Amino acid sequence: EEMPAGFVTANLSYAKDSRSQPLSSVLSDDTDRRNGTVLISKNSTISEDQLFLNTAAAQVLSGIFVWSALLLTCHQIYMHLRSYTVPNEQRYIIRILFIVPIYAFDSWLSLLFISNGQYYVYFDSVRDCYEAFVIYNFLSLSFEYLGGESGIMSEIRGKPIQSSCLYGTCCLGGMSYSIGFLRFCKQATLQFCVIKPIMAVITILLQAFGKYHDGDFNVNSGYLYITIIYNFSVSLALYALFLFYFATSDLLRPYEPVLKFLTIKSVIFLSFWQGMLLAILERCDVIPKALYIDGHKVGAGTVAAGWQNFIICIEMFFAAIALRYAFTCRVYQEKKSDTPDNIAPMQSISSGLKETINPNDMVQDAIHNFSPAYQQYTQQSTQEVDQPHQNGKTGSGGGVKRPKRNDKMMLITSDDEF
């Protein structure tokens, strides 16, 4: 029977362990053997052995951490929705917090279905798409903290860019901050939001045709090219975040940006490098490859991806704790207590959640940042509140309604020259 791509097919040595079997015996049509797990360990030893990732212990242990992380984060999201007093900020915070449920539950499902072909590729694609969304929301939250584009430009416009090798501004010496600088930061993060889903779709298509295997750096495999494109895209997004923080670190200091930035960076960027390291370790035979798991034929990279998902399940519990401190809802609860009874921050928790998952603001932001017609304008967010009349009715008539916030965007001409 043909072996999966990436496995060594010649010069196989056989361990003296009783579980080690000749290749022809392991890959025979014997149904009893094929119902087990077949591994290729270091020195290309073929053996029938138990894979920890597929045991009940691994699934239960990871499940405990996953559900603990889900409870912590869902409670935090609920508290933000109960005190939804600053929608322009909290919509981004809640979107960022959703990374824990999506990452944790997705990784746990991938671990549970590790023996079912390469289903983990489909699950992980959903996770990868959301991480791009989180980067955009983190930068947008930082913009909101500082009053939007117009507020930031009023503080930094015309100031010289300090040369720093640490922040990658060594080539920007002699230049000053302009609206073009903010535009680049937004564009660099938005491009990742576009490229990452496209790469996820391409990965699924390549996997369906057997042209994608984690850790397979062969020029005939799609993994090499997708990794190169992804690295360039994610590095550009990270560079933009660094540049923005470098320019506004003093302004952001009251909002404790370091803890927020490190938490987001750890979840997204370190998990990627962690997955690549595990793929390389499997490629170098440090982690055993698998031919069959519970009688199901699996491809190269399955074990490395399994370990990646298992580790993420554990890490998300600690990420949930870190995010709980980084994006506390205490300040919004205090604002709620100061809000008069006749000015309700939102109609209900469900309406707040509906506003949070609405991607319209991201679409409008992409149009503003990439359309040439808006390149010389800065955004300034305004907020109108429809107040109820004394009789409890709004000007539109009808039943009793709570006030509603209508977010609007005003464009201000920039003085910068292009």
Side-chain angles (χ1 to χ4, degrees), residues 2 23 29 88 90 126 150 153 203 226 233 283-284 289 302 312-313 322 372 400:
E2 183 181 355
L23 179 62
D29 293 331
N88 285 352
Q90 288 176 282
V126 176
S150 60
M153 289 311 303
T203 297
I226 288 177
S233 179
R283 185 70 175 176
C284 297
K289 303 181 181 72
T302 300
I312 288 178
C313 289
V400 177

Side-chain angles (χ1 to χ4, degrees), residues 11 60 66 73 84 97 126 154 187 225 238 248 317:
N11 299 324
V60 171
V66 166
T73 305
Y84 203 60
L97 294 177
V126 176
S154 65
Q187 290 173 348
Y225 306 104
L238 179 60
T248 61
F317 172 74

Side-chain angles (χ1 to χ4, degrees), residues 18 132 242 320:
S18 60
F242 267 113

Side-chain angles (χ1 to χ4, degrees), residues 133-244:
F133 188 52
V134 168
I135 294 177
Y136 162 78
N137 281 280
F138 178 70
L139 183 62
S140 297
L141 175 62
S142 300
F143 270 62
E144 286 298 327
Y145 280 152
L146 302 180
E149 287 184 357
S150 60
I152 297 172
M153 289 311 303
S154 65
E155 296 289 340
I156 69 173
R157 177 183 279 116
K159 292 183 178 181
I161 302 177
Q162 297 180 3
S163 179
S164 172
C165 294
L166 177 62
Y167 287 93
T169 59
C170 53
C171 299
L172 303 179
M175 301 178 63
S176 59
Y177 292 111
S178 66
I179 187 60
F181 169 80
L182 291 185
R183 195 74 70 237
F184 168 78
C185 292
K186 272 292 184 72
Q187 290 173 348
T189 54
L190 285 168
Q191 60 82 24
F192 187 53
C193 296
V194 175
I195 290 179
K196 189 56 186 175
I198 293 176
M199 291 297 101
V201 172
I202 294 176
T203 297
I204 293 175
L205 293 176
L206 291 175
Q207 191 272 336
F209 289 97
K211 296 296 183 180
Y212 180 90
H213 297 286
D214 281 338
D216 187 1
F217 292 95
N218 191 293
V219 293
N220 295 323
S221 174
Y223 179 81
L224 173 63
Y225 306 104
I226 288 177
T227 300
I228 292 175
I229 296 174
Y230 178 82
N231 266 291
F232 176 80
S233 179
V234 75
S235 298
L236 183 59
L238 179 60
Y239 177 62
L241 290 179
F242 267 113
L243 286 181
F244 181 78

Side-chain angles (χ1 to χ4, degrees), residues 51-64 108 111 310 314:
L51 184 65
F52 171 73
L53 297 173
N54 203 37
T55 62
Q59 295 171 355
V60 171
L61 178 62
S62 59
I64 292 174
W108 194 49
L111 193 62
F310 177 78
I314 308 298

Side-chain angles (χ1 to χ4, degrees), residues 258-268 318-319 322-323 326-327:
V258 176
L259 177 59
K260 294 179 173 65
F261 179 77
L262 290 179
T263 303
I264 299 299
K265 181 177 180 295
S266 298
V267 172
I268 296 177
F318 299 100
L323 289 171
F327 298 97

